[in-house]
Amino acid sequence: MIPLFELNTNLDITTIIIDGSPAYIIDNFYKEPEKIADWLFSKESFLQKFSDSASRNGKDFQDKRIEIPSQKLPVFEFLEMLCGQQWDGKQEEIITNQCRFLRNSYNNKYKSHYWWMHRDLGYNGLVYFNDDTVNGTNLYNNDAWSLYKTDEHDDPWIPKDNLKLIYTFKPQFNRFVFFDGAKFAHGMAINDDRYHCDNLNNAHWTTYRVNQVFFYRPQELSS
C-alpha cells in the first residue's frame, strides 16, 4: 500500500533567486518522512542506462532508480502550483535516485572533479532522505554545456576548472529543493567519501545517497 506522502501543515517556503530564476527550499517537507523512506527504498531498484556497453554503472559506481506506479498524489499538484508548470508524468510514477561509489582511484576524483551535469525540461524537485549536510545538488553555468553532452555513465567526473559553479543546495533530512532544471545544468554534489564503499554488493539503502525526485515542464511542452 502506498503511504500518504502527506505534507506537513503550514510549510515554511524559502524563496531564493538564482541568476534571475526563483528556486525554493522547504524543510520538514513530509509529515512522516521515516515511513516514506523505509517504504520507498525497500523496493527493488535498477541500474540506470546499464545497457550501454561503455557504462561504468555497476562497475565503478551504482546509479540506481526506483519507479513506482501510483495515482497522482496531492504533492504533485502542490508543486505544480508552486512552480507554475505541469507535472511531467507520462505515467503516474514515484521516482527515486540511489547512488554510491566504489572506493578506488577513479572515484577519488571527487576532490578535483564535479559529477556529470545535465539539464531537464523544466523544474526539478528533490527530497533528501539522508542525514547529510554535505552532498547536495550543484547548479552550473551553462557555458560549458555543449562540451559535456556525453553519455551520463561513460566518464561522469568533470574537472572543476572546466565548470563554473553557481549555487549548491545543501542537503538535510526531509528537505525539499526546487529549481529550474532547464535553465541550469545540474548534478550531484559529491564533497566527501561518505557514499564510497569497498564493494558494490547489495547493502542497506542508508549506505546510498538517496532522494525522491519530481519532474515538471512548461505547459507548451506537455502536449
Side-chain angles (χ1 to χ4, degrees):
M1 180 178 177
I2 296 177
L4 292 177
F5 286 83
E6 184 178 357
L7 301 179
N8 262 319
T9 56
N10 301 318
L11 290 174
D12 185 8
I13 303 173
T14 299
T15 303
I16 59 176
I17 304 299
I18 305 171
D19 196 20
S21 177
Y24 308 94
I25 302 172
I26 307 176
D27 289 338
N28 303 311
F29 188 64
Y30 282 129
K31 187 174 182 179
E32 296 183 306
E34 292 86 359
K35 289 184 178 180
I36 291 173
D38 287 340
W39 181 84
L40 273 177
F41 301 111
S42 67
K43 306 299 181 185
E44 185 175 357
S45 57
F46 61 89
L47 293 172
Q48 293 196 67
K49 304 179 182 177
F50 185 59
S51 59
D52 181 356
S53 61
S55 175
R56 292 178 179 265
N57 198 5
K59 302 171 187 175
D60 286 301
F61 52 85
Q62 290 178 326
D63 184 1
K64 304 173 77 175
R65 173 162 284 185
I66 299 171
E67 296 179 355
I68 304 169
S70 73
Q71 299 298 315
K72 190 172 184 180
L73 303 175
V75 61
F76 297 156
E77 297 177 346
F78 166 73
L79 297 179
E80 283 181 348
M81 291 186 293
L82 185 59
C83 71
Q85 296 184 355
Q86 291 193 344
W87 176 56
D88 188 26
K90 299 182 181 69
Q91 303 176 21
E92 282 82 4
E93 287 184 330
I94 300 166
I95 302 174
T96 72
N97 291 317
Q98 299 172 252
C99 297
R100 65 178 181 152
F101 310 88
L102 192 63
R103 196 182 309 278
N104 60 19
S105 58
Y106 180 71
N107 290 317
N108 203 42
K109 290 182 178 181
Y110 78 87
K111 297 176 181 179
S112 57
H113 291 59
Y114 293 123
W115 188 256
W116 186 81
M117 63 174 181
H118 63 284
R119 285 160 60 183
D120 293 293
L121 295 175
Y123 266 77
N124 286 11
L126 297 165
V127 182
Y128 300 109
F129 283 108
N130 297 108
D131 183 15
D132 181 0
T133 60
V134 175
N135 301 289
T137 303
N138 287 339
L139 306 186
Y140 303 102
N141 182 283
N142 287 328
D143 289 347
W145 172 242
S146 61
L147 300 177
Y148 292 100
K149 289 185 178 179
T150 58
D151 289 334
E152 177 175 2
H153 295 128
D154 290 0
D155 190 16
W157 292 112
I158 302 173
K160 290 184 177 181
D161 289 344
N162 293 1
L163 297 179
K164 180 180 178 181
L165 179 65
I166 295 177
Y167 188 84
T168 299
F169 288 101
K170 301 295 185 182
Q172 181 175 297
F173 181 75
N174 201 27
R175 169 174 287 172
F176 171 79
V177 302
F178 208 25
F179 61 91
D180 190 340
K183 178 177 176 64
F184 300 107
H186 55 278
M188 294 189 295
I190 305 300
N191 293 314
D192 64 18
D193 65 353
R194 170 175 177 157
Y195 303 110
H196 288 54
C197 60
D198 293 326
N199 65 70
L200 292 177
N201 294 333
N202 289 334
H204 195 267
W205 67 262
T206 53
T207 66
Y208 291 79
R209 179 187 180 276
V210 294
N211 54 61
Q212 182 185 3
V213 61
F214 305 85
F215 297 106
Y216 290 80
R217 58 168 69 186
Q219 186 164 352
E220 61 268 22
L221 299 179
S222 298
S223 58

